[in-house]
Amino acid sequence: MIAIFGLILGIFLGIWFDPVIPLAIQPYLPVAVVAAIDALFGAGRAYLEDRFNERVFIVSFSWNVIVAALLVFLGVQLGVGSAMTTAVVVVLGIRIFSNTAAIRRSILGA
């Protein structure tokens, strides 16, 4: 419940203060957000399967964001930044849909 409250508060503060993202960080932000969403849906799935562990969630959340950003950085250094970004988003998108399907099966039993 605290995590949901923190998420809602963070969204509200982000909208309220309207932060400016530096140009150097802008290519990494969408991938980091998708990686974070992947970790959140993974945590939701683990919770419904009674396997949720806070430590695993924090490590997974941080690791997903760091690895995704590093892959995009590598792509930028190799001159294929947009292709690498697309690849990372596709892979994480597949994981998100896989987790949402498992959540749906767990909730609806189908």
Side-chain angles (χ1 to χ4, degrees), residues 44-78:
R45 178 181 183 175
Y47 178 78
L48 290 172
E49 294 173 353
D50 292 326
R51 297 183 302 125
F52 181 76
N53 181 329
E54 294 88 2
R55 181 176 288 161
V56 172
F57 170 69
I58 296 298
V59 170
S60 172
F61 186 91
S62 303
W63 189 251
N64 279 1
V65 172
I66 290 168
V67 169
L70 286 174
L71 285 172
V72 172
F73 176 76
L74 178 65
V76 169
Q77 297 304 311
L78 294 173

Side-chain angles (χ1 to χ4, degrees), residues 8-95:
I8 292 170
L9 180 65
I11 291 170
F12 174 75
L13 291 174
I15 292 170
W16 181 264
F17 288 111
D18 193 26
V20 177
I21 308 300
L23 268 157
I25 298 174
Q26 285 181 2
Y28 307 102
L29 186 62
V31 174
V33 169
V34 173
I37 291 170
D38 172 49
L40 288 173
F41 278 107
R45 178 181 183 175
Y47 178 78
L48 290 172
E49 294 173 353
D50 292 326
R51 297 183 302 125
F52 181 76
N53 181 329
E54 294 88 2
R55 181 176 288 161
V56 172
F57 170 69
I58 296 298
V59 170
S60 172
F61 186 91
S62 303
W63 189 251
N64 279 1
V65 172
I66 290 168
V67 169
L70 286 174
L71 285 172
V72 172
F73 176 76
L74 178 65
V76 169
Q77 297 304 311
L78 294 173
V80 292
S82 62
M84 188 66 86
T85 300
T86 302
V88 171
V89 169
V90 167
V91 169
L92 291 173
I94 290 168
R95 287 175 41 109

